[in-house]
Amino acid sequence: MRKNSKVTQREHTSEHVTESVADLLAHEAPLDYKNSSLNVGGVPGKKIVLEPPENDGRPAWNSKLQYILAQVGFSVGLGNVWRFPYLCQKNGGGAYLVPYFILLILIGVPLFFLELAVGQKIRRGSIGVWNYVCPQLGGIGVSSLMVCGFVGLYYNVIIGWSIFYFFQSFQYPLPWAECPIRRNGSLAIVEPECEKSSATTYFWYRQTLNTTSTIADSGGLNVKMTLSLLVAWIIVCLAVIRGIASSGKVMYFSSLFPYVVLFCFLVRGLLLKGAVDGIAHMFTPKMLEPQVWREAATQVFFALGLGFGGVIAFSSYNKIDNNCHFDAVLVSFINFVTSILATLVVFAVLGFKANLMNEKCVMENGEKILGYLNSNVLSHDLIPPHVNFSQLSTVDYAEIYAVIKTVKEGSFAELSLDPCVLEDELNKSVQGTGLAFIAFTEAMTHFPASPFWSVMFFFMLINLGLGSMIGTMTGITTPVLDTYKVQKELFTVCCCIIAFFCGLLFVQRSGNYFVTMFDDYSAGLPLTVVVILENVSVAWIYGTKRFMQDLEDMLGFRPHAFYFYMWKYVSPCCLIVLITATVIEMAISPPGYNAWVEELAQERFQSYPPWALAMCFSLIVVAMLPLPVVFIARYFNLMSDGSNKLSVSYRKKSTHDVFRVVGEEAQ
């Protein structure tokens, strides 16, 4: 009878042995790599202590500083320089910082902490992590990888543009400082397209992009931009070719150098005339509208790189007892401070530019008034005696303008006089490429030693972009290398070569319009869906209590209950509202792009043609397609649950210990 009970006990134990690691880890009691234990075969006192798979051959960061710089480099990108200041200007100045900070606390930090924790605990990239947490939602990792691919394609094009401007900056005067002169025999005239717009605008649209007037007209490859893109991909490839062994070293420079440049620009900007006006405009509160909260949530969402897989990939190379809660708070705080710093710099420089434009406006309209006075269209009695037209100030011009407008009320419009109000110049919202390659470059042409500042600015943009690209590429390579045993260097080179050839779409003469399309459609909605599924799979499927216990076992302390309620209720609700608002915004906003019309020398909104519209929605569908495909395939047992792709050393150790305990019981 006792012998039969032993046989039964062995059979029962062997059934446990055949379970996959994912099944073993899915019991009600949370697995603690350090302290928790698994009873085998119902035998009391016989336990298997599962050690963390520290020696599975997985690379590790050389230092905590290197890791923090990598996370900062990934999260702090071009959006901090040209997206955050624009939203701050557009959505209420200093008042915009209030909803942004609130949503950073409610959405940003908790979800950033969640991604850091799951990556560190499971020690895998995005595909392996979500296969472990919930196999049926394993498509989350594949969707993250798809979005990383789409974003990497066009993001590196922007780095290519910055590289082109960087090399163009090594000349004096800067090539975009003045309009080119067209010569026709002995007659010399200013290029009409440039005269209608501005020197920096002309250089951007005509001499850099040489853009076409519609997305339908490709115009062929732009050779200069193609070479710049090739250089950008070579730089990225060299930075990530050896994984964190090479990218970690690059981060020391690419993450820290932008702060040096930002501080230099801040000091220089504060010494410029009109800088105080720009900063005061930034902090002037305005009325907040409901859409401000949506745009603040979106900015928080993308500022930290949530859903891309780069955050998870970087944290997967940490030791399992690393304090990822501290990392989440620190990186989020650095990101927020960087956005404020960049906004101060941008508004100081734009304040300087606005004063220059306002003075130019006063000068031009003063000459108009002089002409009207000399031709007796206006009476000299309208001009106050203290006014000197050779040194006309903005205050004097405002006084003259008000008098003329009052006296000539009926025929004032015929005079074509501009009010020249500084506030109007400061209210001109500029974002993205328009801020970096037009507004900022125009301001720098008026700096003393302008080539030096231009070189510094575009070198900073290259480094900001490189940090984000390293994280994006890591989000692609890490999950694939975890799943398939391929040579890291060869796979990285192949990825970069394929990406370069795919990126040729963006270096056609119409390529700028495709960059806008991918930026608008390839990431926004798919990433929001990915992140809410990440949140739901951890908080509602894996279990928030269970996850909190895992964190306590892993970190040595229990995170504050604040995170429990954020993950369980607040963050999912906020994300659902964000998804709803995004879908509504896409439905009511006509899909289109701002095309550069050469004849008018200005941008004009154009709707996408049917094929381009189909391409827009295809980007969304392709990015989200892995979610239902993997769910259906695993629901009907058409594919493995992915547990066989977990750590090899972990599976070997746990199986060996199980058989050791079985052997001891048999004796």
Side-chain angles (χ1 to χ4, degrees), residues 51-219:
E51 299 294 337
E54 295 282 2
N55 301 318
D56 58 355
R58 189 171 187 78
W61 296 102
N62 289 333
S63 67
K64 181 65 174 282
L65 176 62
Q66 193 178 85
Y67 164 68
I68 292 295
L69 289 177
Q71 291 286 15
V72 169
F74 178 49
S75 67
V76 175
L78 298 174
N80 296 76
V81 175
W82 66 33
R83 178 70 178 166
F84 186 91
Y86 161 74
L87 291 174
C88 191
Q89 179 187 28
K90 174 187 174 187
N91 294 318
Y96 170 74
L97 300 178
V98 176
Y100 181 85
F101 186 75
I102 291 173
L103 291 170
L104 180 65
I105 300 300
L106 297 182
I107 298 178
V109 176
L111 294 180
F112 191 59
F113 180 28
L114 184 146
E115 289 202 357
L116 291 180
V118 295
Q120 181 174 306
K121 177 182 186 295
I122 304 169
R123 295 176 60 79
R124 283 294 174 266
S126 56
I127 294 178
V129 160
W130 303 114
N131 279 341
Y132 167 84
V133 174
C134 179
Q136 290 185 345
L137 291 180
I140 294 174
V142 184
S143 283
S144 293
L145 191 149
M146 297 292 295
V147 173
C148 278
F150 287 147
V151 171
L153 288 178
Y154 77 83
Y155 202 89
N156 219 26
V157 174
I158 301 173
I159 298 178
W161 294 341
S162 302
I163 290 171
F164 175 76
Y165 267 78
F166 172 75
F167 285 109
Q168 290 292 312
S169 299
F170 288 95
Q171 48 188 307
Y172 185 83
L174 291 169
W176 52 81
E178 297 177 354
C179 286
I181 304 298
R182 180 188 293 181
R183 298 191 177 276
N184 186 6
S186 59
L187 185 64
I189 61 170
V190 177
E191 180 65 43
E193 186 181 0
C194 183
E195 191 174 26
K196 291 178 184 177
S197 54
S198 69
T200 51
T201 304
Y202 176 81
F203 186 86
W204 168 243
Y205 282 110
R206 187 56 51 215
Q207 296 187 345
T208 301
L209 301 178
N210 193 19
T211 189
T212 59
S213 295
T214 66
I215 195 172
D217 180 12
S218 73

Side-chain angles (χ1 to χ4, degrees), residues 199 294 370 456 518:
R294 181 185 66 82
L370 269 178
M456 292 283 283
F518 272 64

